[in-house]
Amino acid sequence: LLDNKAYYSNRFRERRDEIEVLCGNAVLYDIAPEDNVFYFFNPFTSKIFWDILEKIDASVTQYPRMVTIIMYYPDEEYKKLLRNRGYVLYRLIKLPEYHYDSDEKMYIYRNYM
């Protein structure tokens, strides 16, 4: 996780001081009005991911803002859920190990307001 933060921070230097890493149960996390970037490594079922998206979208409805969702190793169902909720693929980043494993990439989605 910290390696991914370091890689993302290196790619987006202007925002590195704004990144805070929290490890915990994403379902139990209370989304704050200022939370606008969420990073997920494909660790749970699509149903749980759907529930988390519900919480994110409820927060965005209450406190409108653009949200960025970073996915590492998302399966097709995750990507479909994001598209169906209005998130658009903003950027695809091939990671250093991509030449060994074509799944080594991060998908960055946004909900353009």
Side-chain angles (χ1 to χ4, degrees), residues 1-60:
L1 180 64
L2 294 178
D3 287 343
N4 292 328
K5 177 188 174 186
Y7 184 79
Y8 188 83
S9 294
N10 193 35
R11 295 281 302 225
F12 302 95
R13 289 188 171 118
E14 69 280 359
R15 301 198 64 193
R16 80 172 51 156
D17 294 335
E18 300 173 24
I19 298 172
E20 178 183 5
V21 175
L22 303 172
C23 289
N25 187 329
V27 175
L28 300 177
Y29 179 71
D30 290 324
I31 297 168
E34 64 273 8
D35 292 344
N36 62 352
V37 178
F38 301 88
Y39 169 85
F40 298 101
F41 175 82
N42 188 3
F44 35 70
T45 67
S46 296
K47 168 67 172 114
I48 291 172
F49 186 56
W50 176 265
D51 292 343
I52 293 166
L53 288 177
E54 287 279 318
K55 289 179 70 170
I56 292 170
D57 289 347
S59 177
V60 168

